[in-house]
Amino acid sequence: MSCIKTQSYVKVERFVNSIEQTNVEKEKTMELYEDKIVTALDEFKLKTVFDISYRTIKGEEGWLYLHTTQGVFPYIVKTDPYPFIEAFREVQKSAVEK
């Protein structure tokens, strides 16, 4: 099955030593398929995802939220997530119609 849409997001890793805290941002990719959403660490079956929402923090950076049966999963995004959200809603809509 091929990927329908992708969305980049940022995973922040914090390293602490006795002197300082260092934050390292790593770019990851979220992938939308016909039956699931896959992130670097998780895989969500589409039937367990209720909705996807987005809240702007500053400029184009914000939080993308996956609302699932297991809870809400937040992801930091630095690019416009609305094409990904719209693709998700279209896939979800077509799955309901089947």
Side-chain angles (χ1 to χ4, degrees):
M1 191 171 301
S2 63
C3 179
I4 296 169
K5 197 77 167 169
T6 61
Q7 174 63 49
S8 61
Y9 66 96
V10 176
K11 176 77 174 154
V12 178
E13 294 183 9
R14 291 183 172 85
F15 299 98
V16 180
N17 62 29
S18 61
I19 300 172
E20 65 184 353
Q21 173 179 308
T22 306
N23 295 335
V24 177
E25 291 185 355
K26 294 189 177 184
E27 190 168 313
K28 307 285 185 177
T29 302
M30 182 180 300
E31 299 173 335
L32 172 65
Y33 294 89
E34 212 173 283
D35 62 340
K36 63 187 173 185
I37 295 176
V38 178
T39 68
L41 297 176
D42 297 301
E43 182 174 305
F44 304 95
K45 299 290 183 194
L46 277 192
K47 63 184 176 185
T48 68
V49 179
F50 300 126
D51 195 16
I52 300 177
S53 61
Y54 175 70
R55 172 90 46 180
T56 303
I57 299 172
K58 57 184 176 186
E60 294 233 348
E61 185 175 326
W63 288 95
L64 181 71
Y65 298 98
L66 290 183
H67 303 265
T68 74
T69 56
Q70 297 110 11
V72 178
F73 293 81
Y75 298 90
I76 299 171
V77 295
K78 294 190 175 192
T79 58
D80 182 9
Y82 288 108
F84 185 85
I85 294 170
E86 288 301 314
F88 162 76
R89 291 185 177 149
E90 286 297 317
V91 170
Q92 192 179 43
K93 182 180 172 184
S94 67
V96 169
E97 292 173 354
K98 286 184 181 178

